[in-house]
Amino acid sequence: MATRLKPVDAVMIGVGWTGGILAKELTAAGLSVVGLERGEPRSTEGSFVMPSIHDELRYALRYELMQDLSRETITFRNNLNQTARPMRQYGSFLPGEGLGGAGVHWNGQTWRFLPYDFEIKSRTLARYGQQALPPNSLIQDWGITYDELEPYYDQFEYTCGISGKAGNLGGQKIAGGNVFEGARAREYPTPPLKPTYAAWLFEQAAKELGYHPFPRPSATLSQSYTNPDGQTLGACIYCGFCERFGCEVNAKASPHITVIPVALRSGRFELRTRANVLRINLDSSRKRALSVTYLDLKSGQEFEQPAEIICLTSYTLGNVRLLLLSGIGQPYDPVKGEGVVGRNYTYQASAGATLFFDDKIFNSFMGTGSVGVAIDDFNGDNFDHTGLGFIHGASITVGNTGARPIQSRPVPPGTPRWGSAWKKAVAQYYNRSFGIGAQGADMAYREHYLDLDPVYRDAYGLPLLRMTYDWGPNEIKASQYLAGVCEKIGRAMNPKTLVARGLSGHYSIVPYQSTHNCGGAIMGTDPKNSVVNKYLQSWDVSNVFVVGASAFPQNAGYNPTGTVGALAYWTADAIKKLYLKRPGPLV
């Protein structure tokens, strides 16, 4: 039987970016907050020290900072006619675990979504008509506009010290920044990172073709920075160990060096690590959450933590699974087209090109997770889609994340797969090649969803989350078109060999692609087609808030963390200014 603990004002289930931001904001408002994190505690000094933090085998291939799949994983299938099987080793995406969550091992690419993204259905219908929507899609507006979210994007960027260059200040377009972005109130807090040679070549080629290149916004900082909460971050040293690694010089904005210390310093935040939440407990009406039950993984003992406000602030997949396990909201049924929890699962549809040169050296071993030059000319509705057969697009970028020695072995087509000829080609092209990447949007479809697997269970006897997903027709067409754009830009740089790639066939969970899993607990204006309202408050249980990329109705052509951070500040503000004055439904 669970031991009942002293009630608190609020509980965070998961302590990464969203849990950390909400804990910081709610403790500042005077609330007592408990953070339940199932992973290990972390600090830069104790966890990310040289030389061990640059151990590629330990962190990149053996996934030191990721979820233990032997205790909990997901099951996967492409469609309803298949039998889902457990993901027993990492591949397509990498859910993190531990204090700070994915905010510790991310690359730091910090975008704002386009105004179009938040009103995609309305704007698509207005410009192209009903026939432009992909067949069988569940595309919908978010119930919030870019202008409403802009102050919270700003707040997150200044918490992190994002390095970049504005392209739209108060409606005035600024050359050298992203001229397609929504209007922002002020410049980025720190200037852009230093461009790499490959990114410079891309910038020149893009300009010659009439496009609008700009430095990619980055949470790995170009210079030392002290944020409005008094937290100081370091300057990036371009070591190339960002994604899948912690940062040893605190140059990568992460929850454990920004928001979590501020919450702890308030004296009103208690952090409990190795605390695995099993369920949210509801009252007899099932309209109000009373507490959460969690398992202390250190002692094996169960505890019940009562709270007035409960925030689901774990990764997308964790948020959706806990809603389903707790019976909050109606599970989605794709056959009947009914229910909401698990609906609108989306991912990221990519394209790109790899360029090989004989006469150029790129110092591929240097870089950061977010340094690079991008164009947005083919993202959102920034270009005319008439007659193309798809909507949306992608941000297109040349970056340099560091080309780590074990996993980076670029060779041209036709190279033998082993032996001396392969070794010679790897030695030749490791430092004479780079990629152009198109990070494409992904639309929601009726048959793409998350639910509880009827067969497989985790180490605690609870059903695993089941994912049913495949590439949609819109994404395949868009990806092939964007591959052509990447090839066109690449040819302008005169490589010896160029290999373009776009999506085809079926989605595979085996090769790594992107850890941008979205949807399943989406926001909206109608409880019939969304799990949470515009404030990310559950329609069904008003003292439950579900915060993260799980709220995205579909995914955009960017990394999601900037929008996740903005939504966390947005929700915190709604709790402080609206909910605490009159607890209950905010809409």
Side-chain angles (χ1 to χ4, degrees):
M1 184 175 179
T3 301
R4 186 175 172 85
L5 302 171
K6 181 181 176 182
V8 296
D9 294 323
V11 164
M12 303 296 129
I13 303 173
V15 189
W17 271 125
T18 56
I21 288 171
L22 279 153
K24 176 176 80 78
E25 293 295 300
L26 297 187
T27 52
L31 273 62
S32 58
V33 179
V34 163
L36 300 175
E37 167 55 52
R38 70 178 176 180
E40 298 283 352
R42 289 183 185 136
S43 66
T44 301
E45 297 77 13
S47 308
F48 310 136
V49 295
M50 286 290 287
S52 60
I53 191 56
H54 287 186
D55 185 337
E56 184 182 2
L57 183 62
R58 175 181 175 183
Y59 288 97
L61 283 87
R62 293 176 176 166
Y63 309 110
E64 174 82 5
L65 302 180
M66 310 306 167
Q67 184 176 309
D68 181 355
L69 297 184
S70 70
R71 305 190 71 81
E72 180 188 331
T73 184
I74 65 155
T75 64
F76 170 76
R77 58 183 179 175
N78 281 121
N79 58 64
L80 276 68
N81 296 321
Q82 295 178 341
T83 299
R85 299 299 187 195
M87 180 176 74
R88 300 189 187 279
Q89 61 184 25
Y90 277 116
S92 180
F93 48 85
L94 307 173
E97 187 172 277
L99 187 65
V104 168
H105 58 78
W106 67 319
N107 260 330
Q109 298 165 24
T110 313
W111 298 90
R112 296 182 176 201
F113 285 7
L114 296 163
Y116 167 80
D117 286 312
F118 298 99
E119 302 169 273
I120 183 172
K121 185 173 183 179
S122 300
R123 294 193 183 205
T124 299
L125 290 174
R127 184 172 182 183
Y128 303 105
Q130 180 74 34
Q131 71 281 359
L133 297 180
N136 216 25
S137 69
L138 297 177
I139 296 169
Q140 61 188 63
D141 295 344
W142 291 48
I144 185 176
T145 66
Y146 170 85
D147 289 342
E148 288 179 285
L149 203 55
E150 197 283 333
Y152 304 94
Y153 271 123
D154 179 272
Q155 195 170 1
F156 184 62
E157 289 171 354
Y158 273 74
T159 293
C160 296
I162 302 301
S163 298
K165 177 164 178 57
N168 184 347
L169 279 175
Q172 181 181 359
K173 300 298 177 71
I174 309 294
N178 182 7
V179 296
F180 298 102
E181 69 176 351
R184 58 173 60 240
R186 52 180 172 168
E187 182 57 90
Y188 283 99
T190 57
L193 290 159
K194 297 175 182 176
T196 63
Y197 179 37
W200 181 84
L201 289 176
F202 174 78
E203 180 179 2
Q204 302 312 306
K207 284 180 177 176
E208 289 173 5
L209 292 169
Y211 307 145
H212 303 82
F214 59 91
R216 182 162 56 184
S218 174
T220 51
L221 306 192
S222 60
Q223 63 186 36
S224 180
Y225 170 76
T226 300
N227 75 12
D229 297 314
Q231 296 300 115
T232 297
L233 288 79
C236 181
I237 57 174
Y238 301 84
C239 70
F241 288 82
C242 296
E243 183 207 18
R244 310 187 189 191
F245 301 83
C247 180
E248 73 273 21
V249 295
N250 283 345
K252 180 169 65 175
S254 302
H256 76 287
I257 58 171
T258 53
V259 292
I260 295 172
V262 180
L264 290 169
R265 204 161 56 225
S266 72
R268 290 184 282 273
F269 179 54
E270 182 183 352
L271 174 64
R272 299 175 195 158
T273 55
R274 303 292 287 158
N276 187 56
V277 175
L278 304 174
R279 62 185 173 275
I280 298 170
N281 303 304
L282 307 180
D283 68 6
S284 58
S285 72
R286 304 195 69 77
K287 296 293 184 183
R288 180 171 179 76
L290 302 174
S291 62
V292 302
T293 296
Y294 70 91
L295 179 67
D296 184 332
L297 298 178
K298 300 185 290 294
S299 66
Q301 189 176 356
E302 279 193 18
F303 293 92
E304 181 184 358
Q305 177 61 66
E308 293 296 317
I309 300 171
I310 294 172
C311 298
L312 280 72
T313 50
S314 64
Y315 190 64
T316 293
L317 305 178
N319 281 351
V320 176
R321 183 173 182 242
L322 192 57
L323 286 173
L324 291 167
L325 290 174
S326 304
I328 299 176
Q330 183 181 356
Y332 175 64
D333 182 336
V335 177
K336 297 179 180 177
E338 298 175 349
V340 288
V341 182
R343 185 179 187 268
N344 285 50
Y345 170 74
T346 55
Y347 190 50
Q348 201 92 65
S350 65
T354 304
L355 287 65
F356 298 89
F357 297 81
D358 278 343
D359 59 346
K360 293 180 173 61
I361 301 292
F362 298 111
N363 288 340
S364 303
F365 50 87
M366 296 184 67
T368 80
S370 192
V371 68
V373 170
I375 62 168
D376 238 5
D377 300 71
F378 297 94
N379 203 357
D381 199 27
N382 298 338
F383 61 111
D384 187 1
H385 289 71
T386 302
L388 296 179
F390 67 88
I391 62 171
H392 217 299
S395 56
I396 298 177
T397 308
V398 165
N400 188 348
T401 59
R404 297 186 297 265
I406 298 177
Q407 292 186 296
S408 182
R409 301 181 301 276
V411 291
T415 302
R417 299 184 65 180
W418 61 282
S420 59
W422 175 80
K423 292 178 182 177
K424 183 179 180 180
V426 170
Q428 170 69 10
Y429 290 109
Y430 169 82
N431 219 13
R432 295 180 177 85
S433 62
F434 64 85
I436 303 173
Q439 183 161 229
D442 187 22
M443 301 300 103
Y445 295 87
R446 176 168 176 161
E447 63 272 22
H448 297 170
Y449 71 109
L450 305 169
D451 68 348
L452 294 178
D453 192 284
V455 176
Y456 295 98
R457 293 175 177 268
D458 67 10
Y460 315 108
L462 299 173
L464 296 181
L465 193 70
R466 179 171 63 179
M467 177 185 294
T468 304
Y469 179 75
D470 205 346
W471 301 127
N474 186 84
E475 287 58 53
I476 290 177
K477 289 180 182 176
S479 174
Q480 292 172 351
Y481 177 86
L482 293 162
V485 174
C486 293
E487 180 173 0
K488 181 179 179 181
I489 301 172
R491 297 287 181 202
M493 289 183 265
N494 298 313
K496 178 183 180 183
T497 304
L498 183 148
V499 182
R501 62 184 183 282
L503 296 178
S504 61
H506 297 282
Y507 166 73
S508 170
I509 203 169
V510 175
Y512 180 77
Q513 294 162 71
S514 168
T515 308
H516 300 164
N517 310 83
C518 302
I522 67 171
M523 60 194 296
T525 58
D526 188 338
K528 292 180 181 177
N529 58 21
S530 57
V531 174
V532 293
N533 62 29
K534 65 185 293 185
Y535 299 109
L536 277 64
Q537 178 189 41
S538 166
W539 289 110
D540 296 271
V541 183
S542 63
N543 64 332
V544 167
F545 293 80
V546 189
V547 189
S550 55
F552 295 5
Q554 50 275 320
N555 201 7
Y558 300 115
N559 302 62
T561 304
T563 300
V564 169
L567 286 174
Y569 274 116
W570 160 263
T571 298
D573 215 30
I575 293 174
K576 290 188 298 181
K577 294 178 178 176
L578 301 175
Y579 184 85
L580 292 180
K581 293 178 180 176
R582 194 172 68 179
L586 298 178
V587 175

